[in-house]
Every structure is written in structure tokens, then in C-alpha cells.
Amino acid sequence: MSIENLKTYDPFAEADDDSGQTKQTQEYIHIRIQQRNGRKTLTTVQGIPSKFDHKKILKVVKKEFACNGTIISDTESKGMGEVIQLQGDQRLKIKEFLTNKDAGLGLDEKTIKVHGF
Amino acid sequence: MSSEEPSAQRRTSRKSVAFTDEKLVVDADGTVTIMASEDDQHKDTAMSHTSPTTAPVTESADADGLDLSLLKKKKKKAKKEEDADAADDDAAAAADGEEGAIDLSMKKKKKKKAVKEEDDFAKKLEALKLEGKEGDEVATAAAAAPVEDEQSGDMDKGTGIWQHDETKGITYDPLLSRFFALLAQKNPDHASSGTRSYKIPPPQCLREGNKKTIFANIAEICKRMKRTDEHVTSYLFAELGTSGSVDGARRLVIKGRFQQKQIENVLRTYIIEYVTCKTCRSPNTELSKGENRLYFITCNSCGSRRSVQAIKTGFSAQVGKRRKMQQG
């Protein structure tokens, strides 16, 4: 007779797996807003997974939201990865775009954090 | 216009703001209403099927409170219904009293009155519907009782699937409803505790010049939330994507134009993230720096402890003159 419970795999190995997973889910996409002069604002999107082509995303987004934008790469943003910067308050729209399965990236809503007022 | 003015006055003269967790209220209402409906059903069926002589027995079983036998609840249930009504009234009253107050829910503050009226109306409608449903349920239960459907049976009387010698497996849903019924029955104060509200004074925002906002009562708010000024300040700056300073009277000067509503929204998210206990939703918590540079929130009412994320500023683009200077 053997104890079934103890036959499962090493708990430490499992912990490692877990931490890997949580690390993935911990990496949020941050959508922020910044005030410029007057009523003008900037929207920054930080942490879009690198499996996506940021340039293409920007191209589509610019057309869809009818706004200009730019990609700020590593050197300027100091370890923040590539940041997409859009003109105007595009927070809701970009969130919709990121989560939309048909016309967007189809990301999980839980990985997106919208900051700002 | 004349109708607008008094409301505006009231708004400014308001002293404190209620943070009611809308979800919670709804939750409580939900459970309460469910119970109420069950209640009626049981009562009616019990009356129709059991003789009145069994009633005292069930009551006594109820009184000792530990009896898990399936014969019970009668008196308490009736009381529960009253409680439910009371809770509903409370909620309505709260909504009435704190019109224009800040809810912890993300509901917009605009059109408060209209929304409230709608809410009330919806509530009433729901109640009506429920009553109708109860009636139906009673009727169907009475009809179905002799047939003894697969997963039917009276939990209180121990008939059908709830019989002691019943060998049939009970599906998850009835078990779950039974659990909640028992839980609510044994702890009558749980349902009512959900409607507690948390109040902080509304942030006072002044404009300094054209480009700066003064957040006047930050010290008071921080004191109420039991958090340090620095923590709240850094959160505000991180979320608003600006910077600022503290002036002589301990007021916070924020760069950029912000309205009271916007500050309020940020404070609300702050409270959700760093003040309320996720387990019991009580705002009576303490933020402390634990080991490993992590911040922990310890709840004073339920004793739970959770770690919170450190405040990160994240990416912020250079805006304005500095940018030109950098490049030039």
C-alpha cells in the first residue's frame, strides 16, 4: 500500500512553475494619461508584449483613432520597453482595441491597467 | 436654472462623502432576496404539509443553533425576512440621504438624482417581480411536491433529496443554496454588515494660477484613511502623471489642471487598492513596511494581511519646454 498524495511531483518544482506563470500575468499593460498644455493630453501604452509588432499596431491605431502617435524605444524610456504614445485621451479606445478579439489584439482584460483620473 | 442652484449649494456645503460599496449592497440584497423567496416557499409548503404541532419542535431545534438536522428554521426565517426588508429600507435611506455622495462604485457622479430614482424604481420592480415569482414558485412547489422530482425536496423538512437515508447524489447547485441558506441563518448579522459605508471628506481643489492645482485637505483625508501623506502623494503623482510639491500649510500643489472629480476618482482607486481590506472590505487597516521592502496591509477588524504593490511611476513622457531643451 502506498500513499497516493506523496506520489505527485516535487512541490518545489511546482512552485517554480507557478512563479513563472505569475510573472507572466504580473506583467501588466499600463495605459496612462498625461496632461499637456491646455486641454491637451497624451496617452501612453506601456508593456505590450513583444510578440506583437508595435509599428503595425501604431499604424492601425493611428488610423482608427484618427490621432498621431509615436513609439518611444528603449533608450529614451529607460528600461520601460517600447512605449506607444498617442495624442489625446485614447485610454478607453486603446483598451477596447487591446481586448477586442476580432479587430484587435485579443488580450486578457485582467492584464491591462488603466491609470489616471 | 433656479432648481440647479440649490443643489450646487448643497454640494458645496456637504461635509462628508460616503463611500458605499454598491456591489456589496447588491450582493446583500441578492442573498437577502433569495432567502426571502425561499422563506415564503417553505412557509407555505410547510403550512400546507405539516401540522402546526411540529412548529414548536422546529423552533426549539433552532434555538440551540447547532442542530444541523434538517428540521428547523421557521422563526428565524420570518425574522430574516424582516431583516431583509429593513436592509432594503436602509439601503434606500442611505441612497436618499447621501444623494450626490461618492460611491465606491465607479458610477459617474453626474445625473445623480435621476440615477437614484431609477435605482429605486428598479428595486421596486425587482421586488414586485420577486413577489410574483414567489407566488409562482409556491404554486409549482405545491404541484410538484407529490411527484418528487429528481432534485426536489424540502430542505427544512428533510424530504426528497434532503432525506437522511437518501442515497441519491445531490448536485452542486442545491448544495450551494443550502450552504448559503444555513450560513445566513446562523449568522444573521452578516447580511446587514455589508451595507456599511466609508466616509472621507471630499477633496478640496483650488486653482493656483493657471497651471497648478492645490489639493487643500490632503492632510485631513490622509488622517482619515490612516495613511502617510507621502504615500498618498506619490500615488496621486504616479496616477496623474505629474509632479508637485507641498506648500507651507501642508497643502499639496499639483502641476496641471485637475478638477475635484478627477482627484476624487484617483482617491477612490487608492482606497480600493491601499485602504480597504479585500477580505472583509473594512477600511480599518494599516499599511506597514514588511520584510523584503514589500508593503503589507493588515486589517484591524479581521486580521488578514496582504501585500500591496509598490507605487510605480512608470513611463512618463517629457512634456513642454524641457523636451525642447533636452533635444536642443
Side-chain angles (χ1 to χ4, degrees), chain A residues 26 28 32-39 42 44 46 72 76-77 80 83 85 113-117, chain B residues 238-242 255-258 262-263 265-266 273 309 312-319 323:
Chain A
Q26 281 286 305
Y28 290 111
R32 292 195 179 81
I33 190 164
Q34 256 185 299
Q35 281 199 336
R36 285 179 57 217
N37 38 0
R39 286 176 52 101
L42 279 180
T44 58
Q46 180 194 331
I72 296 170
E76 273 179 85
S77 54
M80 306 278 185
V83 176
Q85 192 182 78
K113 266 199 171 175
V114 180
H115 298 265
F117 33 80
Chain B
E239 283 295 297
L240 298 171
T242 63
K255 272 186 193 164
R257 291 182 201 166
F258 296 100
Q262 296 172 320
I263 305 270
N265 278 334
V266 178
E273 195 140 335
Q309 285 182 327
K312 273 190 212 149
T313 316
F315 173 78
S316 69
Q318 281 284 357
V319 177
R323 176 167 200 161

mmCIF file of all heavy atoms in Angstrom, chain A residues 26 28 32-39 42 44 46 72 76-77 80 83 85 113-117, chain B residues 238-242 255-258 262-263 265-266 273 309 312-319 323:
data_model
loop_
_atom_site.group_PDB
_atom_site.id
_atom_site.type_symbol
_atom_site.label_atom_id
_atom_site.label_comp_id
_atom_site.label_asym_id
_atom_site.label_seq_id
_atom_site.Cartn_x
_atom_site.Cartn_y
_atom_site.Cartn_z
ATOM 1 N N GLN A 26 1.796 38.962 -14.081
ATOM 2 C CA GLN A 26 2.099 40.198 -13.381
ATOM 3 C C GLN A 26 2.451 41.327 -14.337
ATOM 4 O O GLN A 26 2.375 42.488 -13.986
ATOM 5 C CB GLN A 26 3.268 39.975 -12.423
ATOM 6 C CG GLN A 26 2.866 39.285 -11.146
ATOM 7 C CD GLN A 26 2.122 40.192 -10.212
ATOM 8 O OE1 GLN A 26 2.611 41.252 -9.874
ATOM 9 N NE2 GLN A 26 0.932 39.817 -9.803
ATOM 10 N N TYR A 28 1.742 43.704 -16.422
ATOM 11 C CA TYR A 28 0.556 44.412 -16.889
ATOM 12 C C TYR A 28 0.882 45.289 -18.087
ATOM 13 O O TYR A 28 2.022 45.674 -18.305
ATOM 14 C CB TYR A 28 0.017 45.304 -15.785
ATOM 15 C CG TYR A 28 -0.590 44.559 -14.640
ATOM 16 C CD1 TYR A 28 0.018 44.536 -13.396
ATOM 17 C CD2 TYR A 28 -1.807 43.889 -14.799
ATOM 18 C CE1 TYR A 28 -0.539 43.848 -12.342
ATOM 19 C CE2 TYR A 28 -2.369 43.213 -13.746
ATOM 20 C CZ TYR A 28 -1.732 43.198 -12.521
ATOM 21 O OH TYR A 28 -2.306 42.534 -11.486
ATOM 22 N N ARG A 32 -1.656 54.965 -19.548
ATOM 23 C CA ARG A 32 -1.594 56.168 -18.709
ATOM 24 C C ARG A 32 -2.007 57.386 -19.501
ATOM 25 O O ARG A 32 -2.032 57.386 -20.724
ATOM 26 C CB ARG A 32 -0.167 56.378 -18.217
ATOM 27 C CG ARG A 32 0.269 55.330 -17.240
ATOM 28 C CD ARG A 32 1.508 55.782 -16.520
ATOM 29 N NE ARG A 32 1.914 54.786 -15.549
ATOM 30 C CZ ARG A 32 2.600 53.699 -15.870
ATOM 31 N NH1 ARG A 32 2.952 53.477 -17.111
ATOM 32 N NH2 ARG A 32 2.921 52.823 -14.944
ATOM 33 N N ILE A 33 -2.296 58.413 -18.760
ATOM 34 C CA ILE A 33 -2.619 59.679 -19.404
ATOM 35 C C ILE A 33 -1.773 60.771 -18.788
ATOM 36 O O ILE A 33 -1.438 60.714 -17.595
ATOM 37 C CB ILE A 33 -4.128 59.988 -19.292
ATOM 38 C CG1 ILE A 33 -4.483 61.169 -20.168
ATOM 39 C CG2 ILE A 33 -4.509 60.241 -17.862
ATOM 40 C CD1 ILE A 33 -5.928 61.315 -20.413
ATOM 41 N N GLN A 34 -1.396 61.701 -19.615
ATOM 42 C CA GLN A 34 -0.585 62.806 -19.136
ATOM 43 C C GLN A 34 -1.179 64.093 -19.648
ATOM 44 O O GLN A 34 -1.647 64.155 -20.789
ATOM 45 C CB GLN A 34 0.829 62.672 -19.674
ATOM 46 C CG GLN A 34 1.811 62.180 -18.657
ATOM 47 C CD GLN A 34 3.192 62.191 -19.227
ATOM 48 O OE1 GLN A 34 3.454 61.520 -20.210
ATOM 49 N NE2 GLN A 34 4.063 62.949 -18.611
ATOM 50 N N GLN A 35 -1.121 65.100 -18.823
ATOM 51 C CA GLN A 35 -1.650 66.371 -19.267
ATOM 52 C C GLN A 35 -0.581 67.162 -19.998
ATOM 53 O O GLN A 35 0.575 67.167 -19.595
ATOM 54 C CB GLN A 35 -2.136 67.177 -18.065
ATOM 55 C CG GLN A 35 -3.468 66.721 -17.583
ATOM 56 C CD GLN A 35 -4.136 67.767 -16.726
ATOM 57 O OE1 GLN A 35 -3.470 68.601 -16.142
ATOM 58 N NE2 GLN A 35 -5.442 67.710 -16.638
ATOM 59 N N ARG A 36 -1.009 67.781 -21.064
ATOM 60 C CA ARG A 36 -0.110 68.718 -21.734
ATOM 61 C C ARG A 36 -0.666 70.112 -21.485
ATOM 62 O O ARG A 36 -1.437 70.321 -20.560
ATOM 63 C CB ARG A 36 -0.075 68.406 -23.218
ATOM 64 C CG ARG A 36 0.719 67.180 -23.558
ATOM 65 C CD ARG A 36 0.679 66.929 -25.042
ATOM 66 N NE ARG A 36 1.168 68.100 -25.773
ATOM 67 C CZ ARG A 36 0.630 68.498 -26.933
ATOM 68 N NH1 ARG A 36 -0.388 67.861 -27.454
ATOM 69 N NH2 ARG A 36 1.116 69.536 -27.562
ATOM 70 N N ASN A 37 -0.293 71.030 -22.331
ATOM 71 C CA ASN A 37 -0.815 72.363 -22.101
ATOM 72 C C ASN A 37 -2.281 72.453 -22.534
ATOM 73 O O ASN A 37 -2.691 71.820 -23.503
ATOM 74 C CB ASN A 37 0.035 73.406 -22.832
ATOM 75 C CG ASN A 37 0.489 72.879 -24.181
ATOM 76 O OD1 ASN A 37 0.147 71.757 -24.527
ATOM 77 N ND2 ASN A 37 1.235 73.664 -24.904
ATOM 78 N N GLY A 38 -3.025 73.196 -21.767
ATOM 79 C CA GLY A 38 -4.428 73.381 -22.088
ATOM 80 C C GLY A 38 -5.223 72.107 -21.875
ATOM 81 O O GLY A 38 -5.010 71.383 -20.920
ATOM 82 N N ARG A 39 -6.123 71.864 -22.779
ATOM 83 C CA ARG A 39 -6.957 70.657 -22.659
ATOM 84 C C ARG A 39 -6.280 69.435 -23.250
ATOM 85 O O ARG A 39 -6.879 68.382 -23.329
ATOM 86 C CB ARG A 39 -8.259 70.870 -23.439
ATOM 87 C CG ARG A 39 -9.245 71.784 -22.797
ATOM 88 C CD ARG A 39 -10.409 71.938 -23.740
ATOM 89 N NE ARG A 39 -10.937 70.653 -24.181
ATOM 90 C CZ ARG A 39 -12.025 70.105 -23.672
ATOM 91 N NH1 ARG A 39 -12.673 70.708 -22.723
ATOM 92 N NH2 ARG A 39 -12.462 68.972 -24.137
ATOM 93 N N LEU A 42 -1.822 63.349 -23.476
ATOM 94 C CA LEU A 42 -1.100 62.276 -24.144
ATOM 95 C C LEU A 42 -1.526 60.965 -23.518
ATOM 96 O O LEU A 42 -1.743 60.891 -22.319
ATOM 97 C CB LEU A 42 0.400 62.426 -23.912
ATOM 98 C CG LEU A 42 1.226 63.399 -24.735
ATOM 99 C CD1 LEU A 42 2.662 63.320 -24.259
ATOM 100 C CD2 LEU A 42 1.139 63.040 -26.195
ATOM 101 N N THR A 44 -0.156 57.095 -23.027
ATOM 102 C CA THR A 44 0.978 56.199 -23.228
ATOM 103 C C THR A 44 0.564 54.774 -22.902
ATOM 104 O O THR A 44 -0.139 54.528 -21.926
ATOM 105 C CB THR A 44 2.166 56.591 -22.347
ATOM 106 O OG1 THR A 44 1.755 56.569 -20.991
ATOM 107 C CG2 THR A 44 2.680 57.965 -22.690
ATOM 108 N N GLN A 46 2.203 51.172 -22.174
ATOM 109 C CA GLN A 46 3.480 50.563 -21.841
ATOM 110 C C GLN A 46 3.282 49.080 -21.601
ATOM 111 O O GLN A 46 2.325 48.678 -20.950
ATOM 112 C CB GLN A 46 4.024 51.235 -20.580
ATOM 113 C CG GLN A 46 5.355 50.702 -20.131
ATOM 114 C CD GLN A 46 5.656 51.142 -18.729
ATOM 115 O OE1 GLN A 46 5.211 52.199 -18.308
ATOM 116 N NE2 GLN A 46 6.387 50.338 -17.992
ATOM 117 N N ILE A 72 8.170 55.176 -28.548
ATOM 118 C CA ILE A 72 9.358 55.626 -27.845
ATOM 119 C C ILE A 72 10.112 54.382 -27.416
ATOM 120 O O ILE A 72 9.587 53.551 -26.667
ATOM 121 C CB ILE A 72 8.971 56.500 -26.646
ATOM 122 C CG1 ILE A 72 8.276 57.750 -27.166
ATOM 123 C CG2 ILE A 72 10.192 56.884 -25.854
ATOM 124 C CD1 ILE A 72 7.643 58.550 -26.104
ATOM 125 N N GLU A 76 15.214 55.995 -24.719
ATOM 126 C CA GLU A 76 14.601 57.170 -24.123
ATOM 127 C C GLU A 76 13.844 56.824 -22.851
ATOM 128 O O GLU A 76 13.863 57.559 -21.883
ATOM 129 C CB GLU A 76 13.647 57.815 -25.118
ATOM 130 C CG GLU A 76 14.320 58.814 -26.042
ATOM 131 C CD GLU A 76 13.326 59.384 -27.001
ATOM 132 O OE1 GLU A 76 12.660 60.350 -26.623
ATOM 133 O OE2 GLU A 76 13.193 58.850 -28.108
ATOM 134 N N SER A 77 13.144 55.691 -22.892
ATOM 135 C CA SER A 77 12.233 55.399 -21.782
ATOM 136 C C SER A 77 12.890 54.595 -20.675
ATOM 137 O O SER A 77 12.223 54.204 -19.723
ATOM 138 C CB SER A 77 11.004 54.671 -22.310
ATOM 139 O OG SER A 77 11.399 53.541 -23.037
ATOM 140 N N MET A 80 11.779 50.784 -19.902
ATOM 141 C CA MET A 80 10.333 50.592 -19.897
ATOM 142 C C MET A 80 9.895 49.807 -21.132
ATOM 143 O O MET A 80 8.719 49.645 -21.364
ATOM 144 C CB MET A 80 9.614 51.944 -19.907
ATOM 145 C CG MET A 80 10.051 52.864 -18.805
ATOM 146 S SD MET A 80 9.224 52.499 -17.285
ATOM 147 C CE MET A 80 9.815 53.821 -16.265
ATOM 148 N N VAL A 83 7.304 51.989 -25.762
ATOM 149 C CA VAL A 83 6.081 52.639 -25.296
ATOM 150 C C VAL A 83 5.414 53.303 -26.488
ATOM 151 O O VAL A 83 6.055 54.016 -27.254
ATOM 152 C CB VAL A 83 6.407 53.704 -24.231
ATOM 153 C CG1 VAL A 83 5.148 54.428 -23.821
ATOM 154 C CG2 VAL A 83 7.054 53.062 -23.039
ATOM 155 N N GLN A 85 2.971 56.021 -27.754
ATOM 156 C CA GLN A 85 2.457 57.290 -27.245
ATOM 157 C C GLN A 85 1.472 57.858 -28.269
ATOM 158 O O GLN A 85 1.795 57.949 -29.452
ATOM 159 C CB GLN A 85 3.623 58.246 -27.062
ATOM 160 C CG GLN A 85 3.285 59.482 -26.291
ATOM 161 C CD GLN A 85 4.499 60.388 -26.216
ATOM 162 O OE1 GLN A 85 4.823 61.080 -27.157
ATOM 163 N NE2 GLN A 85 5.185 60.358 -25.091
ATOM 164 N N LYS A 113 -4.034 47.644 -17.191
ATOM 165 C CA LYS A 113 -4.327 48.561 -16.093
ATOM 166 C C LYS A 113 -4.442 49.961 -16.649
ATOM 167 O O LYS A 113 -3.525 50.458 -17.290
ATOM 168 C CB LYS A 113 -3.204 48.523 -15.063
ATOM 169 C CG LYS A 113 -3.467 47.555 -13.952
ATOM 170 C CD LYS A 113 -2.603 47.889 -12.774
ATOM 171 C CE LYS A 113 -3.013 47.052 -11.589
ATOM 172 N NZ LYS A 113 -2.129 47.260 -10.453
ATOM 173 N N VAL A 114 -5.564 50.570 -16.401
ATOM 174 C CA VAL A 114 -5.754 51.942 -16.860
ATOM 175 C C VAL A 114 -5.503 52.866 -15.684
ATOM 176 O O VAL A 114 -6.115 52.730 -14.624
ATOM 177 C CB VAL A 114 -7.177 52.139 -17.414
ATOM 178 C CG1 VAL A 114 -7.355 53.568 -17.880
ATOM 179 C CG2 VAL A 114 -7.433 51.191 -18.549
ATOM 180 N N HIS A 115 -4.588 53.783 -15.867
ATOM 181 C CA HIS A 115 -4.270 54.727 -14.795
ATOM 182 C C HIS A 115 -4.896 56.075 -15.105
ATOM 183 O O HIS A 115 -5.470 56.282 -16.161
ATOM 184 C CB HIS A 115 -2.753 54.891 -14.686
ATOM 185 C CG HIS A 115 -2.054 53.625 -14.335
ATOM 186 N ND1 HIS A 115 -1.730 53.288 -13.057
ATOM 187 C CD2 HIS A 115 -1.640 52.607 -15.108
ATOM 188 C CE1 HIS A 115 -1.127 52.117 -13.062
ATOM 189 N NE2 HIS A 115 -1.055 51.674 -14.297
ATOM 190 N N GLY A 116 -4.682 56.973 -14.190
ATOM 191 C CA GLY A 116 -5.130 58.346 -14.435
ATOM 192 C C GLY A 116 -6.489 58.623 -13.852
ATOM 193 O O GLY A 116 -7.100 57.767 -13.222
ATOM 194 N N PHE A 117 -6.965 59.803 -14.085
ATOM 195 C CA PHE A 117 -8.183 60.272 -13.445
ATOM 196 C C PHE A 117 -9.424 59.753 -14.133
ATOM 197 O O PHE A 117 -9.420 59.354 -15.264
ATOM 198 C CB PHE A 117 -8.210 61.808 -13.424
ATOM 199 C CG PHE A 117 -7.565 62.449 -14.597
ATOM 200 C CD1 PHE A 117 -8.237 62.560 -15.794
ATOM 201 C CD2 PHE A 117 -6.270 62.913 -14.501
ATOM 202 C CE1 PHE A 117 -7.630 63.147 -16.870
ATOM 203 C CE2 PHE A 117 -5.661 63.501 -15.586
ATOM 204 C CZ PHE A 117 -6.328 63.612 -16.784
ATOM 205 N N ALA B 238 1.834 59.540 -9.322
ATOM 206 C CA ALA B 238 2.040 58.450 -10.270
ATOM 207 C C ALA B 238 0.829 58.290 -11.170
ATOM 208 O O ALA B 238 0.951 58.070 -12.379
ATOM 209 C CB ALA B 238 2.320 57.157 -9.527
ATOM 210 N N GLU B 239 -0.361 58.410 -10.568
ATOM 211 C CA GLU B 239 -1.565 58.185 -11.358
ATOM 212 C C GLU B 239 -1.861 59.355 -12.283
ATOM 213 O O GLU B 239 -2.298 59.166 -13.406
ATOM 214 C CB GLU B 239 -2.763 57.949 -10.442
ATOM 215 C CG GLU B 239 -2.798 56.575 -9.833
ATOM 216 C CD GLU B 239 -2.983 55.498 -10.883
ATOM 217 O OE1 GLU B 239 -4.022 55.483 -11.556
ATOM 218 O OE2 GLU B 239 -2.079 54.668 -11.046
ATOM 219 N N LEU B 240 -1.621 60.537 -11.791
ATOM 220 C CA LEU B 240 -1.932 61.698 -12.613
ATOM 221 C C LEU B 240 -0.828 62.007 -13.606
ATOM 222 O O LEU B 240 -1.004 62.816 -14.504
ATOM 223 C CB LEU B 240 -2.172 62.930 -11.723
ATOM 224 C CG LEU B 240 -3.349 62.823 -10.769
ATOM 225 C CD1 LEU B 240 -3.351 63.988 -9.809
ATOM 226 C CD2 LEU B 240 -4.650 62.798 -11.546
ATOM 227 N N GLY B 241 0.306 61.364 -13.431
ATOM 228 C CA GLY B 241 1.400 61.566 -14.360
ATOM 229 C C GLY B 241 1.997 62.963 -14.282
ATOM 230 O O GLY B 241 2.421 63.500 -15.284
ATOM 231 N N THR B 242 2.002 63.516 -13.094
ATOM 232 C CA THR B 242 2.594 64.840 -12.938
ATOM 233 C C THR B 242 3.538 64.855 -11.738
ATOM 234 O O THR B 242 3.889 63.811 -11.196
ATOM 235 C CB THR B 242 1.523 65.921 -12.697
ATOM 236 O OG1 THR B 242 0.863 65.628 -11.488
ATOM 237 C CG2 THR B 242 0.552 66.007 -13.819
ATOM 238 N N LYS B 255 1.027 69.986 -10.240
ATOM 239 C CA LYS B 255 1.190 70.645 -11.528
ATOM 240 C C LYS B 255 0.138 70.118 -12.481
ATOM 241 O O LYS B 255 -0.055 68.904 -12.602
ATOM 242 C CB LYS B 255 2.581 70.363 -12.090
ATOM 243 C CG LYS B 255 3.606 71.362 -11.627
ATOM 244 C CD LYS B 255 4.921 71.107 -12.347
ATOM 245 C CE LYS B 255 6.026 71.887 -11.677
ATOM 246 N NZ LYS B 255 7.341 71.371 -12.104
ATOM 247 N N GLY B 256 -0.500 71.024 -13.158
ATOM 248 C CA GLY B 256 -1.544 70.619 -14.096
ATOM 249 C C GLY B 256 -2.903 70.992 -13.567
ATOM 250 O O GLY B 256 -3.076 71.239 -12.373
ATOM 251 N N ARG B 257 -3.853 71.047 -14.474
ATOM 252 C CA ARG B 257 -5.211 71.407 -14.065
ATOM 253 C C ARG B 257 -5.998 70.153 -13.771
ATOM 254 O O ARG B 257 -6.147 69.284 -14.610
ATOM 255 C CB ARG B 257 -5.905 72.140 -15.200
ATOM 256 C CG ARG B 257 -5.346 73.502 -15.461
ATOM 257 C CD ARG B 257 -6.166 74.096 -16.548
ATOM 258 N NE ARG B 257 -5.434 75.169 -17.199
ATOM 259 C CZ ARG B 257 -5.810 75.687 -18.353
ATOM 260 N NH1 ARG B 257 -6.869 75.199 -18.961
ATOM 261 N NH2 ARG B 257 -5.136 76.658 -18.882
ATOM 262 N N PHE B 258 -6.507 70.088 -12.568
ATOM 263 C CA PHE B 258 -7.317 68.930 -12.219
ATOM 264 C C PHE B 258 -8.574 69.393 -11.533
ATOM 265 O O PHE B 258 -8.550 70.318 -10.735
ATOM 266 C CB PHE B 258 -6.531 67.987 -11.314
ATOM 267 C CG PHE B 258 -5.337 67.398 -11.991
ATOM 268 C CD1 PHE B 258 -4.073 67.907 -11.765
ATOM 269 C CD2 PHE B 258 -5.480 66.358 -12.888
ATOM 270 C CE1 PHE B 258 -2.983 67.393 -12.414
ATOM 271 C CE2 PHE B 258 -4.388 65.830 -13.534
ATOM 272 C CZ PHE B 258 -3.136 66.346 -13.300
ATOM 273 N N GLN B 262 -11.786 64.537 -10.707
ATOM 274 C CA GLN B 262 -10.665 63.703 -11.137
ATOM 275 C C GLN B 262 -9.843 63.242 -9.942
ATOM 276 O O GLN B 262 -9.465 62.069 -9.839
ATOM 277 C CB GLN B 262 -9.794 64.502 -12.107
ATOM 278 C CG GLN B 262 -10.553 64.852 -13.367
ATOM 279 C CD GLN B 262 -9.782 65.794 -14.263
ATOM 280 O OE1 GLN B 262 -9.140 66.720 -13.786
ATOM 281 N NE2 GLN B 262 -9.833 65.551 -15.556
ATOM 282 N N ILE B 263 -9.598 64.165 -9.027
ATOM 283 C CA ILE B 263 -8.870 63.797 -7.817
ATOM 284 C C ILE B 263 -9.646 62.740 -7.050
ATOM 285 O O ILE B 263 -9.091 61.775 -6.527
ATOM 286 C CB ILE B 263 -8.657 65.038 -6.926
ATOM 287 C CG1 ILE B 263 -7.978 66.145 -7.711
ATOM 288 C CG2 ILE B 263 -7.880 64.681 -5.681
ATOM 289 C CD1 ILE B 263 -6.512 66.166 -7.698
ATOM 290 N N ASN B 265 -11.676 60.538 -8.221
ATOM 291 C CA ASN B 265 -11.549 59.222 -8.856
ATOM 292 C C ASN B 265 -10.256 58.546 -8.455
ATOM 293 O O ASN B 265 -10.239 57.343 -8.151
ATOM 294 C CB ASN B 265 -11.578 59.377 -10.377
ATOM 295 C CG ASN B 265 -12.986 59.480 -10.890
ATOM 296 O OD1 ASN B 265 -13.898 58.981 -10.251
ATOM 297 N ND2 ASN B 265 -13.154 60.137 -12.017
ATOM 298 N N VAL B 266 -9.189 59.318 -8.435
ATOM 299 C CA VAL B 266 -7.903 58.729 -8.086
ATOM 300 C C VAL B 266 -7.910 58.281 -6.631
ATOM 301 O O VAL B 266 -7.425 57.201 -6.297
ATOM 302 C CB VAL B 266 -6.768 59.741 -8.354
ATOM 303 C CG1 VAL B 266 -5.444 59.158 -7.941
ATOM 304 C CG2 VAL B 266 -6.737 60.105 -9.811
ATOM 305 N N GLU B 273 -7.392 50.127 -3.556
ATOM 306 C CA GLU B 273 -6.145 49.370 -3.646
ATOM 307 C C GLU B 273 -5.388 49.324 -2.323
ATOM 308 O O GLU B 273 -4.852 48.295 -1.953
ATOM 309 C CB GLU B 273 -5.266 50.003 -4.716
ATOM 310 C CG GLU B 273 -4.130 49.098 -5.122
ATOM 311 C CD GLU B 273 -3.913 49.154 -6.620
ATOM 312 O OE1 GLU B 273 -4.853 49.462 -7.347
ATOM 313 O OE2 GLU B 273 -2.793 48.913 -7.031
ATOM 314 N N GLN B 309 1.065 46.308 -4.057
ATOM 315 C CA GLN B 309 2.113 46.694 -4.982
ATOM 316 C C GLN B 309 2.711 48.023 -4.569
ATOM 317 O O GLN B 309 2.010 48.911 -4.076
ATOM 318 C CB GLN B 309 1.526 46.843 -6.380
ATOM 319 C CG GLN B 309 1.234 45.521 -7.028
ATOM 320 C CD GLN B 309 0.712 45.722 -8.429
ATOM 321 O OE1 GLN B 309 0.030 46.687 -8.691
ATOM 322 N NE2 GLN B 309 1.042 44.800 -9.300
ATOM 323 N N LYS B 312 4.436 52.643 -8.535
ATOM 324 C CA LYS B 312 5.411 52.833 -9.607
ATOM 325 C C LYS B 312 4.951 53.961 -10.506
ATOM 326 O O LYS B 312 3.784 54.036 -10.875
ATOM 327 C CB LYS B 312 5.528 51.553 -10.422
ATOM 328 C CG LYS B 312 6.531 50.582 -9.843
ATOM 329 C CD LYS B 312 6.754 49.466 -10.846
ATOM 330 C CE LYS B 312 7.052 48.163 -10.134
ATOM 331 N NZ LYS B 312 6.576 47.027 -10.878
ATOM 332 N N THR B 313 5.875 54.782 -10.856
ATOM 333 C CA THR B 313 5.517 55.899 -11.725
ATOM 334 C C THR B 313 5.345 55.443 -13.163
ATOM 335 O O THR B 313 4.469 55.920 -13.874
ATOM 336 C CB THR B 313 6.599 56.983 -11.670
ATOM 337 O OG1 THR B 313 6.961 57.175 -10.317
ATOM 338 C CG2 THR B 313 6.105 58.275 -12.248
ATOM 339 N N GLY B 314 6.182 54.511 -13.584
ATOM 340 C CA GLY B 314 6.092 54.045 -14.955
ATOM 341 C C GLY B 314 6.620 55.075 -15.928
ATOM 342 O O GLY B 314 7.269 56.056 -15.541
ATOM 343 N N PHE B 315 6.288 54.836 -17.161
ATOM 344 C CA PHE B 315 6.797 55.733 -18.184
ATOM 345 C C PHE B 315 6.051 57.059 -18.130
ATOM 346 O O PHE B 315 4.842 57.101 -17.975
ATOM 347 C CB PHE B 315 6.594 55.108 -19.553
ATOM 348 C CG PHE B 315 6.933 56.037 -20.665
ATOM 349 C CD1 PHE B 315 8.251 56.273 -21.005
ATOM 350 C CD2 PHE B 315 5.947 56.683 -21.372
ATOM 351 C CE1 PHE B 315 8.561 57.136 -22.021
ATOM 352 C CE2 PHE B 315 6.252 57.539 -22.400
ATOM 353 C CZ PHE B 315 7.566 57.768 -22.719
ATOM 354 N N SER B 316 6.790 58.129 -18.237
ATOM 355 C CA SER B 316 6.116 59.399 -18.406
ATOM 356 C C SER B 316 6.882 60.206 -19.447
ATOM 357 O O SER B 316 8.106 60.330 -19.380
ATOM 358 C CB SER B 316 6.027 60.158 -17.092
ATOM 359 O OG SER B 316 7.295 60.578 -16.704
ATOM 360 N N ALA B 317 6.148 60.686 -20.383
ATOM 361 C CA ALA B 317 6.776 61.396 -21.485
ATOM 362 C C ALA B 317 7.155 62.799 -21.054
ATOM 363 O O ALA B 317 6.515 63.389 -20.183
ATOM 364 C CB ALA B 317 5.821 61.463 -22.665
ATOM 365 N N GLN B 318 8.179 63.277 -21.642
ATOM 366 C CA GLN B 318 8.567 64.651 -21.381
ATOM 367 C C GLN B 318 7.613 65.573 -22.118
ATOM 368 O O GLN B 318 7.386 65.436 -23.307
ATOM 369 C CB GLN B 318 9.989 64.890 -21.878
ATOM 370 C CG GLN B 318 11.050 64.357 -20.943
ATOM 371 C CD GLN B 318 11.221 65.242 -19.729
ATOM 372 O OE1 GLN B 318 10.586 66.282 -19.627
ATOM 373 N NE2 GLN B 318 12.058 64.828 -18.805
ATOM 374 N N VAL B 319 7.073 66.497 -21.365
ATOM 375 C CA VAL B 319 6.097 67.397 -21.954
ATOM 376 C C VAL B 319 6.588 68.823 -21.781
ATOM 377 O O VAL B 319 7.105 69.171 -20.720
ATOM 378 C CB VAL B 319 4.731 67.217 -21.276
ATOM 379 C CG1 VAL B 319 3.730 68.208 -21.827
ATOM 380 C CG2 VAL B 319 4.246 65.811 -21.457
ATOM 381 N N ARG B 323 11.520 69.299 -22.944
ATOM 382 C CA ARG B 323 11.793 68.412 -24.049
ATOM 383 C C ARG B 323 12.641 69.111 -25.111
ATOM 384 O O ARG B 323 13.636 68.582 -25.581
ATOM 385 C CB ARG B 323 10.474 67.960 -24.650
ATOM 386 C CG ARG B 323 10.676 67.118 -25.865
ATOM 387 C CD ARG B 323 9.415 66.425 -26.260
ATOM 388 N NE ARG B 323 9.801 65.311 -27.090
ATOM 389 C CZ ARG B 323 9.029 64.284 -27.318
ATOM 390 N NH1 ARG B 323 7.875 64.191 -26.753
ATOM 391 N NH2 ARG B 323 9.425 63.324 -28.106
#
